[in-house]
């Protein structure tokens, strides 16, 4: 039991608010320092650019063949190939959806009944510079109605090729680049006990193995191993009463916590605008297979017992489940939540107390996302004129 408790502490499961049920001692340790509240600063898009559709905060300058994304302290500008600029011009900036996947930029434009997604790969890093960094690109074409999830770019593995990843009503799809546009499919039915259409996808790499994960509208979370194509249902491993299934909006497995055989993940589950909870799942990779052993609802104020059976964790200052709009886990393990009312919350690694800040002048829905670094996030607030981006740390 002592070994288990030490491991839990190492994973940040038991922060300063953890209380032992039976410590055998009357001493009261000094409380842990309060975690830092997030700091937010508004970012200004480059002159001459127009904001794209969606919640990326991306700004496009067609005359300069440039796309700019909000970063950790300023917009970072990248040069696009003329073919990508031409596709955006034909579709219109207002109809262009931009997303990020790791360090790649995904630009999606309508093309009849299809969508063409261009994956732009920066040729080098140029942190926080307004000078343009060149990119190479690949294109992927697919029926617009097929994807039910976010899009990802993924490197090749034994079980799947390099390509574009998304979930459908029946499967997880890895699509190869044009002109071949072939695909590899992992049926949801291959995940024992899973049900519902795919609703979110995520890619991670642990011990040299690439894993693809998908959540479903019914609350299932399944992990596909790039080593041997096995599919594991992580959600079915939750102890009774530890997990309430619902639509999986997003999830993440932070890189700095998923080292060795350690498994740490966060799931955003529920109906946005009604009730959303962020679950923390811990466990290990056993012979490459992810195995969950600890399940905690980080957005519940009820005391919860950890996997050692004697330690309780209570999360405080939690964001209201009815106000959670989005969540994002940075590589350092900090959990960011954007709300429906212009605020951002963060649960810092190892803490049990959430902290929050209101974005200046904002009252609408906030989307939190990758900011190009290992820590912090970009918060994009919806406004009547489009959106406003903030760097939060």
């Amino acid at each position: 039991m002592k070994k288990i408790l030490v491991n839990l502490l190492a994973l940040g499961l038991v922060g300063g608010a953890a209380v032992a049920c039976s410590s055998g001692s009357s001493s009261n340790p000094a409380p842990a320092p309060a975690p830092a509240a997030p700091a937010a600063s508004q970012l200004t898009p480059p002159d001459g650019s127009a904001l794209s559709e969606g919640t990326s905060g991306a700004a496009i300058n067609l005359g300069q063949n440039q796309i700019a994304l909000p970063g950790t302290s300023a917009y970072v500008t990248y040069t696009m190939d003329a073919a990508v600029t031409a596709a955006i011009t034909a579709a219109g900036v207002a109809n262009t959806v931009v997303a990020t996947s790791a360090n790649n930029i995904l630009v999606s434009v309508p093309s009849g009944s299809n969508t063409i997604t261009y994956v732009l790969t920066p040729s080098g890093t140029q942190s926080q510079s307004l000078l343009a960094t060149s990119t190479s690109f690949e294109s992927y074409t697919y029926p617009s109605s097929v994807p039910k999830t976010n899009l990802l770019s993924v490197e090749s593995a034994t079980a799947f090729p390099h390509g574009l990843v998304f979930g459908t009503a029946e499967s997880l799809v890895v699509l190869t680049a044009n002109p071949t546009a072939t695909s590899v499919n992992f049926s949801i039915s291959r995940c024992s006990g899973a049900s519902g259409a795919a609703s979110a996808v995520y890619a991670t790499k642990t011990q040299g193995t690439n894993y693809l994960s998908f959540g479903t509208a019914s609350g299932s979370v399944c992990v596909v191993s790039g080593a041997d194509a096995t599919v594991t249902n992580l959600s079915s491993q939750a102890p009774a009463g530890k997990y309430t299934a619902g639509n999986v909006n997003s999830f993440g497995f932070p890189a700095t916590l998923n080292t060795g055989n350690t498994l740490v993940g966060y799931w955003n589950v529920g109906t946005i605008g009604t009730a959303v909870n962020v679950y923390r799942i811990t466990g290990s990779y056993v012979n490459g297979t992810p195995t969950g052993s600890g399940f905690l609802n980080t957005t519940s104020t009820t005391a919860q017992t950890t996997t050692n059976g004697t330690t309780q964790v209570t999360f405080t200052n939690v964001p209201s489940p009815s106000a959670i709009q989005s969540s994002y886990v940075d590589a350092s393990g900090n959990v960011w939540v954007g709300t429906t009312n212009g605020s951002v919350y963060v649960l810092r690694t190892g803490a049990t107390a959430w902290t929050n800040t209101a974005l200046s002048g904002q009252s609408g829905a906030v989307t939190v996302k990758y900011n190009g670094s290992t820590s912090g996030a970009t918060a994009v607030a919806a406004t009547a004129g489009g959106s406003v981006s903030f760097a939060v740390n």
Side-chain angles (χ1 to χ4, degrees):
M1 182 177 294
K2 181 178 180 181
K3 181 178 179 181
I4 295 175
L5 180 57
V6 171
N7 287 338
L8 288 170
L9 286 166
L11 290 175
L13 283 177
V14 184
V19 178
C21 293
S22 56
S23 65
S25 172
S26 60
S27 61
N28 294 314
S41 57
Q42 186 171 333
L43 305 176
T44 302
D47 291 340
S49 61
L51 291 174
S52 68
E53 184 61 33
T55 57
S56 68
I60 297 173
N61 187 326
L62 294 174
Q64 298 295 321
N65 287 348
Q66 292 177 347
I67 184 170
L69 296 178
T72 58
S73 61
Y75 268 80
V76 182
T77 304
Y78 304 88
T79 297
M80 298 184 294
D81 187 276
V84 181
T85 301
I88 297 174
T89 302
V93 172
N95 297 317
T96 300
V97 177
V98 180
T100 55
S101 178
N103 292 316
N104 292 331
I105 305 166
L106 279 56
V107 179
S108 297
V109 297
S111 177
S113 61
N114 292 329
T115 294
I116 301 176
T117 293
Y118 296 89
V119 177
L120 312 183
T121 302
S123 59
T125 58
Q126 198 162 349
S127 178
Q128 306 313 313
S129 172
L130 295 181
L131 299 175
T133 299
S134 62
T135 60
S136 58
F137 79 94
E138 295 176 332
S139 66
Y140 301 80
T141 303
Y142 51 90
S144 300
S145 61
V146 170
K148 305 299 181 185
T149 71
N150 54 307
L151 306 176
L152 298 175
S153 60
V154 67
E155 59 184 287
S156 63
T158 302
F160 48 78
H162 160 81
L164 185 71
V165 178
F166 53 81
T168 74
E170 299 85 19
S171 62
L172 178 75
V173 174
V174 183
L175 185 67
T176 60
N178 293 332
T180 56
T182 58
S183 64
V184 174
N185 295 269
F186 297 92
S187 172
I188 293 172
S189 63
R190 287 181 57 181
C191 182
S192 178
S195 62
S199 55
V201 295
Y202 190 84
T204 190
K205 188 173 185 178
T206 300
Q207 287 192 315
T209 299
N210 293 311
Y211 295 88
L212 294 177
S213 308
F214 63 88
T216 74
S218 299
S220 301
V221 172
C222 302
V223 180
V224 179
S225 170
D228 55 14
T230 56
V231 185
T232 304
N233 188 337
L234 269 180
S235 51
S236 66
Q237 299 172 8
K242 288 290 188 178
Y243 174 59
T244 301
N247 182 59
V248 180
N249 299 292
S250 64
F251 50 96
F253 297 86
T256 59
L257 301 185
N258 283 268
T259 57
N261 287 321
T262 299
L263 168 69
V264 180
Y266 290 89
W267 305 349
N268 187 337
V269 181
T271 302
I272 293 174
T274 301
V276 172
N277 290 288
V278 180
Y279 287 90
R280 175 190 283 155
I281 291 78
T282 56
S284 59
Y285 292 86
V286 180
N287 296 323
T289 299
T291 303
S293 56
F295 288 71
L296 292 173
N297 183 349
T298 70
T299 45
S300 170
T301 58
T302 302
Q304 301 170 69
T305 304
T306 60
T307 51
N308 69 357
T310 62
T311 303
Q312 285 190 335
V313 174
T314 301
F315 294 96
T316 59
N317 193 43
V318 303
S320 170
S322 64
I324 295 177
Q325 170 71 20
S326 62
S327 72
Y328 160 70
V329 184
D330 64 32
S332 297
N334 302 305
V335 186
W336 299 90
V337 162
T339 69
T340 58
N341 54 19
S343 294
V344 172
Y345 283 73
V346 62
L347 181 66
R348 299 197 185 276
T349 305
T352 54
W354 290 80
T355 57
N356 64 286
T357 189
L359 299 178
S360 177
Q362 306 306 310
S363 59
V366 178
T367 299
V368 286
K369 57 184 287 293
Y370 178 61
N371 68 347
S373 72
T374 58
S375 182
T378 294
V380 181
T383 66
S387 64
V388 179
S389 294
F390 293 79
V392 289
N393 294 282

